Structure formats: C-alpha cells, structure tokens
C-alpha cells in the first residue's frame, strides 16, 4: 500500500508581473511524508520563501497542483485555506513576532485565541508546551527579558500549540549566534524525533545538513541533495 504524502507539489510555477514576468518557481515537484524533517537550502532570491508561502497556503501557484494531506489546496476558497492553516500548519520566523507587552505564556496562548479554542485550560496547555521546549521557568517573563534563543523557543512553543501537523520554519536561526542556533536545531531535531513534520528553509548548507533530508533550490528549480 502506497502511503499518501502529507504534502505533494506537482509542476508548481509562480510568476510575478508581466513585462517581463519573473519566474520565482519553475516546475517544482516535491513530496513530503508525515514525520519527515526536510530542509530547503538555497541563496537569497532562489525562490525559497515563495515556495514556503505556497506550502503554507499564504500564496497560490500560477500553475501546477498542490495537495495537503490528500486535499487539493487549489480547490479551496481563501477562507477555507485560512481554516486549513489554522488547523494544520504552523510557522516559525527568524524575527520571532512576539508581542512585547505580553509574557511568554501569554504569547503562546495567542495560538489558541486565533483558533477560537475554548479558554478553559488554555494557560495550562500553553505552560505544558513551554515546558516541552525547555522554557517553563521563564513563562512569566516579557520578551525583553529573554535571550534571542529563548524568544525563538517561545515562538516554537506558540507554533506547537497551534498545530500538530506541519511546522514551517523560515530561517529559524537567522537572528541567533552560532551556539544558540545549534540549541534551536537540537530542539527541532527532538521535535522531529517525537513525530513532528518539519519543513525548514535556510541559506546555510551546514544548517540544512542537520535535517533528515535536504533539497536545494536555485533560480526557482529544486534538486534533491544526495544523503
């Protein structure tokens, strides 16, 4: 029995403008199975972020087919795509995007506020996921009192509370020093060991090598990196 991939892209293209058009993605084919940790590595302007936005249902391809867990994302309305994101896809960015006037646990709780989940037990669930990323002892701290690595852990905790299917990481160590970057990569490795599907974009071959699988993107075209 052939396992259905969590996400599948077939001949995906993305063009911007018309005179002349810019081809950000050119015939991209990609499958990711549930539980994989995939790194998409490439230089600036290679199409990494465009591809991540399509996978995260933040943008639509110009042509091609994208299915998520067997569901054709191209057939969904914008509202339905928003629902898919809130249920199944979480994002971690290099800039953290934490509210400065909210504590770590309050920032994590926002994941359920946006999903309109019940308030009952919300703080306990947020504290549990902070403990999962090793930050229970800092739950009451404002972001200004946290290090860069701790802020990224809060952002990851918020993402985990919001989704159990796919974690999309956009240069998750881009604002961190080398030692802290290694700690965040260790955290991602541990989450993947627990079964979390992770897709990460990075310009660093060294960071990409930490993932279980790597692909490279150059000028909008993907190629599998030999393991």
């Amino acid at each position: 029995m052939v396992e259905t991939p969590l996400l599948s892209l077939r001949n995906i293209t993305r063009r911007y403008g018309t005179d002349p058009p810019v081809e950000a993605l050119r015939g991209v084919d990609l499958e990711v199975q549930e539980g994989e940790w995939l790194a998409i590595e490439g230089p600036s302007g290679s199409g990494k972020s465009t591809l991540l936005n399509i996978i995260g249902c933040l943008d639509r391809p110009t042509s091609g087919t994208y299915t998520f867990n067997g569901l054709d994302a191209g057939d969904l309305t914008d509202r339905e795509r928003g629902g898919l994101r809130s249920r199944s896809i979480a994002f971690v960015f290099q800039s953290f995007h934490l509210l400065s006037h909210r504590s770590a646990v309050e920032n994590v709780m926002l994941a359920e506020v946006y999903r309109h989940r019940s308030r009952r037990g919300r703080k306990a669930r947020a504290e549990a996921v902070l403990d999962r990323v090793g930050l229970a002892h800092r739950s009451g701290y404002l972001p200004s009192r946290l290090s860069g690595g701790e802020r990224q852990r809060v952002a990851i905790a918020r993402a985990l509370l919001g989704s159990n299917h796919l974690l999309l990481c956009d240069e998750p160590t881009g604002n961190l020093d080398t030692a802290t970057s290694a700690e965040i990569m260790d955290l991602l490795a541990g989450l993947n060991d627990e079964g979390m599907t992770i897709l990460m974009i990075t310009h660093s071959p060294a960071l990409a090598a930490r993932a279980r699988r790597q692909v490279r993107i150059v000028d909008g075209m993907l190629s599998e990196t030999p393991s």
Side-chain angles (χ1 to χ4, degrees):
M1 183 177 179
V2 179
E3 185 178 0
T4 300
L6 179 63
L7 59 92
S8 175
L9 295 90
R10 290 284 180 265
N11 199 29
I12 292 291
T13 66
R14 185 65 173 98
R15 300 185 187 92
Y16 296 100
T18 57
D19 191 26
V22 175
E23 290 199 87
L25 297 175
R26 308 180 185 193
V28 169
D29 292 324
L30 180 67
E31 285 190 355
V32 177
Q33 299 292 338
E34 188 167 0
E36 277 198 275
W37 179 10
L38 173 69
I40 300 175
E41 180 265 323
S44 297
S46 60
K48 300 189 304 294
S49 294
T50 300
L51 182 56
L52 196 77
N53 287 341
I54 288 174
I55 292 171
C57 291
L58 296 172
D59 192 14
R60 293 180 183 269
T62 303
S63 62
T65 304
Y66 170 40
T67 59
F68 184 91
N69 207 17
L71 184 67
D72 189 339
D75 290 339
L76 302 180
T77 65
D78 288 344
R79 182 173 182 177
E80 289 170 335
R81 287 157 60 83
L84 176 62
R85 282 196 305 274
S86 68
R87 293 190 307 272
S88 302
I89 304 172
F91 298 83
V92 174
F93 302 98
Q94 63 176 324
S95 299
F96 318 132
H97 297 304
L98 303 179
L99 296 183
S100 61
H101 59 288
R102 298 286 188 180
S103 67
V105 70
E106 289 170 334
N107 270 282
V108 174
M109 289 166 63
L110 287 174
E112 292 198 342
V113 173
Y114 297 146
R115 296 178 69 199
H116 307 292
R117 290 194 62 182
S118 170
R119 291 185 179 183
R120 178 173 292 182
R122 181 179 291 165
K123 186 176 182 182
R125 289 189 294 272
E127 289 174 336
V129 78
L130 277 172
D131 184 55
R132 186 178 174 188
V133 301
L135 214 58
H137 63 297
R138 305 287 250 176
S139 65
Y141 284 53
L142 293 175
S144 60
R145 298 187 61 195
L146 301 175
S147 68
E150 288 172 336
R151 279 178 276 172
Q152 190 61 294
R153 286 175 183 267
V154 173
I156 291 171
R158 181 181 57 196
L160 293 175
L161 191 63
S163 171
N164 293 318
H165 286 88
L166 177 64
L167 183 63
L168 298 181
C169 301
D170 184 354
E171 300 281 6
T173 64
N175 286 335
L176 304 176
D177 59 45
T178 301
T180 306
S181 294
E183 292 175 2
I184 294 301
M185 297 303 289
D186 288 343
L187 173 59
L188 294 179
L191 294 173
N192 180 245
D193 287 341
E194 295 173 9
M196 172 66 69
T197 307
I198 301 173
L199 195 154
M200 174 184 75
I201 66 171
T202 179
H203 66 275
S204 168
L207 289 179
R210 290 292 309 273
R212 318 297 189 201
R213 176 185 164 206
Q214 302 88 40
V215 296
R216 180 164 171 77
I217 186 167
V218 177
D219 295 331
M221 294 183 288
L222 277 188
S223 59
E224 195 88 13
T225 303
S227 54

